[in-house]
Amino acid sequence: MHDHHQDDVRFSSSSIRIHSPSSKEHSLLTNLKSCSKTFVSQLSNTRLSLNQMFESLRNRHTPPRSVRRPNLPTQMLNSVTQLMIGKSSPISLSLIQSTQLNWSSDSGDENVEIIRGLNSPLLCCASLSLTRPNESTQSVEGKDMIQQQKGHSVSRNAEERVLISEVLVRTKDGEELERKDLEMEALAALKACRANSALTIREVQEDVHRIIESGYFCSCTPVAVDTRDGIRLMFQVEPNQEFRGLVCENANVLPSKFIQEAFRDGFGKVINIKRLEEAITSINGWYMERGLFGIVSDIDTLSGGIVRLQVAEAEVNNISIRFLDRKTGEPTKGKTSPETILRQLTTKKGQVYSMLQGKRDVDTVLAMGIMEDVSIIPQPAGDTGKVDLIMNCVERPSGGFSAGGGISSGITSGPLSGLIGSFAYSHRNLFGRNQKLNVSLERGQIDSIFRINYTDPWIEGDDKRTSRSIMVQNSRTPGNLVHGNQPDNSSLTIGRVTAGIEYSRPFRPKWSGTAGLIFQHAGARDEQGNPIIKDFYSSPLTASGKTHDETLLAKLESIYTGSGDRGSTMFAFNMEQGLPVLPEWLCFNRVTGRARKGIHIGPARFLFSLSGGHVVGNFSPHEAFVIGGTNSVRGYEEGAVGSGRSYVVGSGEMSFPVRGPVEGVIFTDYGTDLGSGSTVPGDPAGARLKPGSGYGYGLGVRVDSPLGPLRLEYAFNDQHAGRFHFGVGLRN
């Protein structure tokens, strides 16, 4: 139990749930099945139902004349509250009583009792008595009120008008109110009842309702007294108590500070029912905005001006997984382990169910890549007042073969330059644990890559969402990016055999980190496939002087991603350290970084990117940083600007919509090796007279496709040469 005292106001919230009767709890969850599609419509309907409840109270009429009813305010309000939360409502307001009008004649004729419906959200009794007093006056229970038992006869016709000479507001004992401000509130609420006016019973009744609707009074009884100056109409009112404190029960997630702010303005003042309604609406709105299954279920006033507020919050009782057939939609046996899905959910047992959190959980399960469709259906958990969640899952086919094609940026000449084909087998859900296996082969005019990759997106038993990836790869790629443009038109390729293991995990929102260990065996070969150690210019192709270099790399990487959309903010930092476990293994340190920032101005989108890197130590020449090309400085061929130990490349572009999926782009790029080209073993860039720095600018079009953006661009470089560039996907 937490108590908060401020200005003699007691705010109390209990972490121990005080359960309402089972019927009340059950009613809170009766309609939960309808919430599975969209939480926005559910919350809007709740707000509308709340309005309907109060509106219904204003317009409701009870049974016809000559039917006496007991004072059953709670039953009346509960029946109306069904509009909001189900069959039997837990909401009750202790300030409510019935409204009745009593007429009696002086001759003892039959009494006719007219019972009217409540015309206020929180109405109390309002009874109108017109009687014929005795000729002599008398004091009734010490009250200064004279009733005439003989004299004016009053018609039972509610439309007959009676001349009223004076209108007063008094206490229920007929005395003046101590607080004149409350008297003024009651008088201000009157519309028809004025001195020297002819009134009907209906008009008096409507003004009674208006006094009650002002919110300051718990009862109002109009009494007509015949005096020598005419009929005096007195409204005998009973003001509400002064607000002295608040007790809030069962509010486990509702912040105490929010409750205090909702009721703070009313402290020390007469309780106003309208203000209470506003406070209740704000509390229910707090739940609605957060998609929480919670609502104010009961409010009443205790002695001493203490307002008691009861809140009903639906906690999660159980979460179960149900697999549905892709074709029939009927329940079926799934291939995925339920524990693999449940561990992805942030919604846990015992929490107050949030539809916003449930939507995020649905997106998380879909992001696993093994489900075709996912939905959550809340259902009442019997009479416990809790909710059971059923997650419906439709699985995708777990594995299969695929074929495709692409473009390699390493080949810049030939009739089929850059075209590659691919063939792959993938399994998305090994052992039903969302583990991935991918075996692929890519083959081009010169390129070839054979890769086996196994990934466990979340290692079992780890609570940090750590993933593990094991990779084995054998590749052959063109070496002309660093050692191309040989006078004899010969070409060479770089062959690499790579194996490694990496661990990745998120460590902050939008931040993830990777650590790994990679072994690489790499060397150069000529067109006939023979190992070579020097190019045409006698520049070395390996750092060790042998036909192959061997390296054991320790890798660390940190990545920040904004919204994940194209053009959103991104930052990546990577460091690799060569470990000389054996004397002949290379030892070097390589650091790279990339940053990207997008800005929207009207329909245009500006994108700025910057990348750079530096290498210290003994490394293979073909591992130098390459500058120029489609993903670097456009307007140049691949690697034509330079290659060095260090580099910086910056780019700025403005894109704008053209029509449908087509957009135009204007761009400019700049790159430099920071004068480090000559420090690469053999100075391959200097031997080929590469400038070491350069810029390009141009324009192009992009088309969205299932493969990613298709980019066709034309750029000029600083040597006034133009060149087309074609790419698939976003720039690196």
Side-chain angles (χ1 to χ4, degrees), residues 348-391:
K348 304 296 182 183
K349 295 180 182 179
Q351 293 180 351
V352 177
Y353 179 56
S354 167
M355 301 189 73
L356 291 174
Q357 189 176 8
K359 182 180 183 300
R360 290 193 294 266
D361 286 339
V362 168
D363 293 339
T364 299
V365 175
L366 287 173
M368 295 169 64
I370 59 177
M371 298 298 169
E372 197 170 88
D373 186 42
V374 178
S375 62
I376 293 180
I377 298 179
Q379 293 184 338
D383 296 333
T384 63
K386 298 184 179 182
V387 60
D388 286 334
L389 301 181
I390 299 177
M391 175 170 278

Side-chain angles (χ1 to χ4, degrees), residues 510-535:
K510 300 182 181 181
W511 283 92
S512 62
T514 301
L517 201 61
I518 302 170
F519 177 80
Q520 179 175 277
H521 175 88
R525 295 180 179 272
D526 59 16
E527 292 177 327
Q528 287 74 38
N530 300 316
I532 55 176
I533 60 174
K534 292 186 178 182
D535 64 7

Side-chain angles (χ1 to χ4, degrees), residues 211-231:
I211 291 177
I212 296 299
E213 285 178 338
S214 69
Y216 291 100
F217 307 97
C218 61
S219 70
C220 177
T221 304
V223 177
V225 180
D226 191 6
T227 70
R228 62 182 180 181
D229 296 326
I231 295 180

Side-chain angles (χ1 to χ4, degrees), residues 554-592:
K555 173 184 176 181
L556 290 175
E557 184 178 48
S558 178
I559 298 177
Y560 170 86
T561 55
S563 62
D565 298 332
R566 183 177 63 176
S568 64
T569 301
M570 184 276 295
F571 173 78
F573 175 81
N574 181 287
M575 183 178 69
E576 296 174 334
Q577 176 64 53
L579 304 177
V581 177
L582 297 179
E584 62 271 22
W585 289 7
L586 302 184
C587 178
F588 62 90
N589 180 271
R590 176 165 50 205
V591 177
T592 59

Side-chain angles (χ1 to χ4, degrees), residues 436-482:
K436 319 290 184 183
L437 175 66
N438 187 74
V439 180
S440 63
L441 173 65
E442 297 179 2
R443 181 73 180 179
Q445 188 177 3
I446 297 177
D447 301 56
S448 68
I449 301 176
F450 176 75
R451 180 188 297 114
I452 301 175
N453 190 81
Y454 163 82
T455 301
D456 185 354
W458 191 346
I459 300 174
E460 186 174 358
D462 177 78
D463 60 349
K464 303 296 184 181
R465 304 183 71 93
T466 303
S467 66
R468 176 178 55 221
S469 180
I470 300 174
M471 175 268 297
V472 177
Q473 178 177 292
N474 186 353
S475 65
R476 187 180 68 178
T477 58
N480 61 335
L481 297 180
V482 177

Side-chain angles (χ1 to χ4, degrees), residues 74-94:
T74 303
Q75 295 179 7
M76 180 179 295
L77 183 60
N78 285 346
S79 66
V80 178
T81 312
Q82 295 172 11
L83 292 172
M84 184 172 65
I85 56 176
K87 181 179 178 182
S88 177
S89 169
I91 295 183
S92 66
L93 292 161
S94 64

Side-chain angles (χ1 to χ4, degrees), residues 2 166 237 280 327-329 349 394 414 421 441 443 446 456 459 474 508 521 534 537 598 626 688:
H2 302 284
E166 187 178 11
V237 297
I280 293 172
K327 296 181 179 179
T328 65
K349 295 180 182 179
V394 179
L441 173 65
R443 181 73 180 179
I446 297 177
D456 185 354
I459 300 174
N474 186 353
R508 291 188 63 184
H521 175 88
K534 292 186 178 182
Y537 296 97
V626 177
R688 290 159 179 79

Side-chain angles (χ1 to χ4, degrees), residues 652-673:
E653 61 183 41
M654 180 187 72
S655 58
F656 48 89
V658 176
R659 184 176 183 181
V662 181
E663 64 179 16
V665 61
I666 302 173
F667 59 84
T668 180
D669 305 322
Y670 175 80
T672 176
D673 62 7

